[in-house]
Amino acid sequence: MSVKRQPILDASAWKGSEITSKDQIAFDLGPRHLKAFDDAIMHARREGLGIPAIGKSAYDFPSIRDDIAAIGRELSWGRGLVIIRGWPVDKYSLDEIGLLYGWFGQHWGRPVIQSGKGDRLGYVADVPQTGSIYRGYRSNAELRMHSDSDDIVGLLCMRKAMRGGLSRLVSGTAVYNEILRSRPDLLEILFRGFRLHWNGEEAPGEPPVTEYRVPIFSEAEGHISISFGHKYIEDAFVALGVPPTELETEALALLEATASRDDLVYEFQLEPGENSFINNYTTLHSRTGFEDYPEEHRRRLLLRLWLKAHDARPIDANLRRYYGNDGMAPAENVA
């Protein structure tokens, strides 16, 4: 296990206090991008393609390919955060917007499965959940800072909540820098990592708790990455019947406290037609709780993509093993 002890000075180590406006991190879609979208939708209609085509077919967007590539470079090797504004969410059907969004993201990576249902496009909404597996993104609850799955995570806002539901992002490399400065003695624990509970979504043949440790901070080919899910760590300790040590508890508490600091977090509202893409290995995300509209057609809805990047950031072998080749494994009783 290699523990890096030098600060990260590249663009990924941003602070929320430095972002005073969405304009600093936004890419605005213009007439030629919308024309390219029209062309893509016409192609989809001619071919009879819909949501099931995500990951199975592609559209090249030849007239805006350079812009898409530039956004991809910013995600993989720059700040690791881009908000794309101006998606025509009211112009096309929900299925057409979903397919368009999936085709756009496929320029950077392959959409992977997000639940036991086998879906490559996730619907982030507050809905009734049944079965044994609870998914926070399918509720209106506040979500703590965490990682999702694979290299790039996208959220496209179709409708926002009546109140709340703010997005919160923090640079994992900035969090690393702060812990390096304040408590470098705890870095060894965070680089060593923890065993994680699959919460019913393990692949066939895998035990409920990983047999290996998944690092929170890790280094591969000179690049620092972060991966964190508090619930999976906590549930693993309970299942194994072995409580965390005092230092482990201290390290996890410091990580969460640092990742929630006002000067490090960028908080914003995704408006309808706005889409955030983040590098999942340099950026943690969370959400405030929300109160929704009573009318079904007005209720909060975001579309989510998880992408395995073509130009992937090098990551630790156990981290890549944990995320697998195609996202979530099929599971029973998934709501």
Side-chain angles (χ1 to χ4, degrees):
M1 176 189 68
S2 173
V3 178
K4 186 177 178 68
R5 297 187 182 274
Q6 291 82 39
I8 306 302
L9 303 177
D10 61 35
S12 72
W14 51 268
K15 295 183 177 180
S17 58
E18 300 167 349
I19 304 175
T20 58
S21 168
K22 278 184 189 174
D23 294 341
Q24 292 173 243
I25 54 174
F27 181 92
D28 290 312
L29 300 170
R32 66 190 187 88
H33 305 98
L34 300 182
K35 173 60 168 61
F37 288 174
D38 281 341
D39 294 342
I41 293 300
M42 292 305 296
H43 169 75
R45 290 173 180 173
R46 286 194 302 268
E47 299 296 321
L49 300 174
I51 294 296
I54 292 177
K56 299 178 182 177
S57 68
Y59 188 83
D60 194 38
F61 297 105
S63 63
I64 59 171
R65 191 185 306 145
D66 290 349
D67 284 340
I68 297 175
I71 295 170
R73 288 192 294 272
E74 179 69 9
L75 288 172
S76 292
W77 308 110
R79 188 185 277 117
L81 161 63
V82 177
I83 294 177
I84 301 176
R85 301 187 292 197
W87 285 88
V89 295
D90 294 325
K91 185 174 183 179
Y92 310 119
S93 71
L94 179 61
D95 276 6
E96 288 175 335
I97 281 288
L99 178 59
L100 188 67
Y101 176 46
W103 276 347
F104 193 91
Q106 280 175 212
H107 281 257
W108 310 318
R110 176 169 55 85
V112 300
I113 295 172
Q114 300 189 26
S115 79
K117 296 178 180 180
D119 50 329
R120 298 181 191 273
L121 180 71
Y123 295 85
V124 180
D126 180 21
V127 297
Q129 300 192 57
T130 59
S132 60
I133 299 174
Y134 174 82
R135 303 294 296 273
Y137 77 97
R138 304 286 278 169
S139 75
N140 67 345
E142 178 180 2
L143 302 180
R144 291 154 70 180
M145 283 292 180
H146 65 282
S147 304
D148 273 359
S149 186
D150 254 296
D151 302 283
I152 296 171
V153 173
L155 287 171
L156 170 59
C157 181
M158 301 296 293
R159 301 186 297 268
K160 65 179 182 180
M162 182 169 64
R163 277 183 287 274
L166 300 178
S167 297
R168 307 182 78 241
L169 302 176
V170 69
S171 161
T173 48
V175 171
Y176 160 82
N177 284 344
E178 292 300 307
I179 295 176
L180 174 65
R181 180 186 59 79
S182 64
R183 289 295 306 273
D185 57 304
L186 296 179
L187 282 176
E188 185 170 347
I189 291 172
L190 299 174
F191 271 79
R192 184 196 64 193
F194 298 86
R195 294 173 68 181
L196 304 183
H197 201 297
W198 286 103
N199 285 318
E201 294 179 327
E202 63 269 16
E206 288 279 358
V209 177
T210 61
E211 297 176 327
Y212 52 93
R213 293 180 180 271
V214 180
I216 292 178
F217 290 123
S218 56
E219 181 181 12
E221 299 180 25
H223 298 284
I224 288 287
S225 294
I226 188 169
S227 178
F228 179 58
H230 64 91
K231 177 174 174 55
Y232 303 104
I233 295 171
E234 293 166 358
D235 288 352
F237 277 121
V238 172
L240 294 170
V242 179
T245 66
E246 289 186 11
L247 279 179
E248 287 174 332
T249 299
E250 190 174 5
L252 289 169
L254 177 61
L255 176 75
E256 288 214 74
T258 305
S260 299
R261 271 176 33 187
D262 289 344
D263 62 320
L264 297 184
V265 172
Y266 176 53
E267 183 176 278
F268 62 99
Q269 179 68 263
L270 267 183
E271 300 290 341
E274 293 184 343
N275 156 225
S276 66
F277 277 111
I278 62 172
N279 186 315
N280 193 50
Y281 296 128
T282 65
T283 311
L284 298 178
H285 64 285
S286 66
R287 180 195 74 201
T288 66
F290 64 87
E291 181 181 354
D292 225 334
Y293 292 97
E295 302 90 351
E296 186 69 27
H297 71 280
R298 301 180 68 190
R299 295 176 68 83
R300 185 179 190 267
L301 175 63
L302 279 67
L303 305 183
R304 185 175 73 176
L305 280 176
W306 287 350
L307 302 172
K308 185 176 290 294
H310 305 313
D311 184 21
R313 183 184 187 84
I315 60 170
D316 179 86
N318 275 0
L319 198 54
R320 184 61 74 191
R321 177 183 177 185
Y322 176 68
Y323 285 123
N325 294 321
D326 199 22
M328 294 285 187
E332 296 180 357
N333 302 319
V334 179

